[in-house]
Amino acid sequence: MLSLVQFFKCLSDDTRLRCVTLLHQEGKLCVCELTTALALSQPKISRHLALLRQSSLLLDSREGQWVYYRINPNLPWWAYPLLDDALKAVQASESFGNDLDRLRQMDCRPDMAVCG
């Protein structure tokens, strides 16, 4: 079970906070979407996602060739209001707006288009 201390440690890193808030807003995203949105390397994103998954904050699931990440729906009751507040706080930041713009402009998103 995710402890309060683990929860805040997960969100204390900028990359993890950006991943979690995007996932909280979008529902689910694959590594390629997060890599594009955050403009960071795939190994760096994957390393942070693995930590978030190990702490039980995120779940992953394979759908065809894609591995998607989402917020764990079985988090403790206190986690959801904190995630909502974190999302509200970062939505006003320029970096979150840039992340969202890059995500929305991404060509060939796995759930949005068929890439050939």
Side-chain angles (χ1 to χ4, degrees):
M1 175 71 60
L2 180 68
S3 74
L4 191 60
V5 171
Q6 281 178 305
F7 180 84
F8 282 110
K9 281 184 179 180
C10 286
L11 298 183
S12 69
D13 177 86
D14 182 60
T15 299
R16 292 192 298 267
L17 177 64
R18 291 166 68 195
C19 286
V20 168
T21 52
L22 277 172
L23 286 164
H24 190 52
Q25 176 164 314
E26 297 294 311
K28 70 177 185 175
L29 295 169
C30 71
V31 175
C32 65
E33 290 171 306
L34 288 164
T35 299
T36 298
L38 276 62
L40 296 171
S41 70
Q42 181 273 323
K44 182 173 184 169
I45 296 292
S46 292
R47 188 172 53 251
H48 286 287
L49 291 172
L51 191 145
L52 292 166
R53 192 181 67 248
Q54 290 166 0
S55 71
S56 299
L57 185 58
L58 298 184
L59 296 178
D60 64 340
S61 61
R62 180 168 286 283
E63 296 177 27
Q65 66 180 354
W66 309 106
V67 177
Y68 287 93
Y69 290 85
R70 64 186 172 101
I71 303 293
N72 184 345
N74 297 317
L75 291 176
W77 64 269
W78 47 261
Y80 296 102
L82 294 172
L83 287 172
D84 290 341
D85 288 342
L87 179 57
K88 288 176 195 169
V90 300
Q91 280 177 328
S93 72
E94 185 177 338
S95 65
F96 186 79
N98 292 338
D99 292 347
L100 210 48
D101 286 345
R102 284 189 294 270
L103 179 62
R104 300 258 158 81
Q105 293 171 9
M106 180 181 175
D107 290 332
C108 297
R109 288 182 64 186
D111 276 355
M112 304 297 180
V114 176
C115 300

